[in-house]
Amino acid sequence: MSKHIYMRSKAVHSLATPDRSSSAAPPLQDESKRYQQLDSVTEGKPKEKDNFFLSWYKHHLRNFFHAVKHPKERKGRTSVVKHDDEETDGLEKKDEATTIVQAPLPEISDHSLLLTEQSRRSLHTALPALVQGRKWVLLYSTWRHGITLSTLYRKSQLWPGLSLLVVGDKKGSVFGGLVEAPLKPTDNKYQGTNNTFVFTDKSAQPTIYRSTGANRFYTLCSKDFLALGGGGRFALYLDSELLHGSSACSETYRNPCLANSQDFDVKEVELWGFVYGSKYDEILSLSRKTETICRWG
């Protein structure tokens, strides 16, 4: 029996890997020889013969489809570029030089003392589509309008809608949040929507923390303070004189401390509005009306 198995495996191997020296023989003669060898091995065993033909057919069919999907390489070198979000069908693709062109940022009314161009670009990308593309107008800044919270509230009324509050402390941290203007003092009543967010820009690459949906404690305006986020602690807190503040983890945005330390001394505050082009000159003129400036430290 072992001798029969050996003879059968030898015949099957000879069918799968024909001798190259006989490759010049006509194809029909080769096929007839293979069938004769198969008959000699599987004589009297029709079931084994059928199984062999089925396996042989599947093998050649698989090779056919493999040859279609993977054609022979052409002369020269071709690189294959695959992307995680792109399906490939096995066909080779040549490298194509791609140039990423960044869209120009919208016009800005004044130079920011807190935001670099890269920071502004990152924040612009994070803005809701509703305000992307609008011109940036400096509605309020401590260096132009004074350092009182009441002035910030008053200047926020120049342009209702989403506005970007940016704070810089004396240790060099930059942070803030997107708020809904106008900012109006209320009696423990939050305002804003889930379009708002807070951010920190410790490494010149802003990190955005959006609403988690845990609550609606977006912005709280008081005559004594301005706070963003809530649910235990404020994400950002500024006192009435815009001299001191604090930052902690909030349930609203699930953010870490935005500054280098929980308590900080304020250096600058800016409030940016996003204005239609048709209203730009009008709002710009109103925003540049200065207040009585009083600074300490």
Side-chain angles (χ1 to χ4, degrees), residues 261-291:
S261 58
Q262 183 170 322
D263 298 313
F264 57 85
D265 295 324
V266 177
K267 183 179 180 181
E268 301 288 349
V269 178
E270 297 175 348
L271 182 68
W272 295 90
F274 308 106
V275 182
Y276 295 116
S278 59
K279 292 287 186 178
Y280 178 75
D281 292 335
E282 177 185 350
I283 302 302
L284 178 60
S285 176
L286 293 173
S287 68
R288 287 184 172 175
K289 289 183 178 180
T290 58
E291 307 283 340

Side-chain angles (χ1 to χ4, degrees), residues 157-206:
Q157 298 178 23
L158 291 176
W159 187 254
L162 293 170
S163 299
L164 187 67
L165 178 70
V166 187
V167 181
D169 66 12
K170 292 187 177 181
K171 291 183 179 180
S173 294
V174 176
F175 43 88
L178 190 67
V179 298
E180 293 269 2
L183 300 173
K184 296 181 179 180
T186 57
D187 295 331
N188 298 323
K189 184 179 180 180
Y190 279 87
Q191 61 189 72
T193 67
N194 59 3
N195 285 325
T196 59
F197 60 73
V198 294
F199 73 92
T200 180
D201 191 16
K202 295 179 182 178
S203 58
Q205 183 63 42

